[in-house]
């Protein structure tokens, strides 16, 4: 199942278990956040979004890379240099409505099979 959510003036397509980086949200790491759903679906079928919410957990608060803002006007001795780092929040999507994130059982089985293949 997937959902389209809006936060910070942008829209994101999310599914249970996804990690996304959004504009800064209030809260500490480990806090739960709910987001309103604009559109939801399962495969090519769309679902009703009445009362549907996306549950997420805040993993970290941070800042993005530095962006240099440089302004110049030729032949007027006008140069301005400024830097900016945007605050952001890393979210882990835990559930869409009643659909929870599934555990990765296939990943746990893969490391055990790899050493057996190396010995042969």
């Amino acid at each position: 199942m997937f959902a389209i959510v809006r936060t910070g003036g942008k829209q994101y397509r999310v599914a249970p278990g996804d990690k996304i980086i959004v504009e800064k949200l209030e809260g500490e790491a480990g806090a739960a956040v709910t987001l309103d759903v604009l559109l939801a679906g399962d495969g090519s079928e769309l679902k009703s979004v009445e009362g549907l919410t996306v549950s997420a957990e805040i993993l970290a608060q941070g800042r993005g890379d530095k962006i240099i803002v440089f302004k110049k006007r030729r032949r007027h001795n006008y140069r301005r240099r400024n830097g900016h780092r945007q605050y952001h929040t890393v979210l882990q999507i835990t559930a869409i409505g009643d659909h929870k994130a599934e555990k990765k059982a296939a990943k746990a089985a893969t490391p055990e099979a790899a050493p057996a293949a190396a010995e042969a």
Side-chain angles (χ1 to χ4, degrees), residues 7 12 14 17-33 35 55-64 86-94:
T7 179
Y12 301 91
V14 297
D18 286 353
K19 290 181 185 174
I20 59 173
I21 298 175
V22 299
E23 296 288 323
K24 178 149 174 55
L25 297 174
E26 294 298 321
E28 296 293 322
V33 176
L35 304 170
S55 301
E57 177 186 352
I58 296 176
L59 295 180
Q61 301 280 10
R63 294 179 79 181
Q86 186 69 31
Y87 288 94
H88 65 255
T89 301
V90 180
L91 295 178
Q92 168 94 35
I93 306 301
T94 56

Side-chain angles (χ1 to χ4, degrees), residues 4-104:
I4 307 293
V5 297
R6 180 184 6 224
T7 179
K10 299 181 181 92
Q11 296 177 2
Y12 301 91
R13 182 185 193 274
V14 297
D18 286 353
K19 290 181 185 174
I20 59 173
I21 298 175
V22 299
E23 296 288 323
K24 178 149 174 55
L25 297 174
E26 294 298 321
E28 296 293 322
V33 176
T34 58
L35 304 170
D36 292 329
V37 178
L38 299 175
L39 181 80
D42 194 8
S44 62
E45 300 175 20
L46 297 179
K47 305 281 184 182
S48 173
V49 296
E50 288 220 15
L52 192 64
T53 59
V54 171
S55 301
E57 177 186 352
I58 296 176
L59 295 180
Q61 301 280 10
R63 294 179 79 181
D65 294 334
K66 188 167 202 170
I67 296 173
I68 302 298
V69 179
F70 185 75
K71 299 177 182 180
K72 180 179 179 180
R73 295 204 179 119
R74 296 190 315 166
R75 298 182 295 272
H76 289 280
N77 195 26
Y78 176 85
R79 289 184 294 274
R80 301 292 182 263
R81 182 177 179 270
N82 197 1
H84 176 73
R85 290 183 69 189
Q86 186 69 31
Y87 288 94
H88 65 255
T89 301
V90 180
L91 295 178
Q92 168 94 35
I93 306 301
T94 56
I96 298 175
D98 58 352
H99 294 279
K100 303 259 187 234
E102 298 174 7
K103 300 292 180 187
K104 306 280 185 194

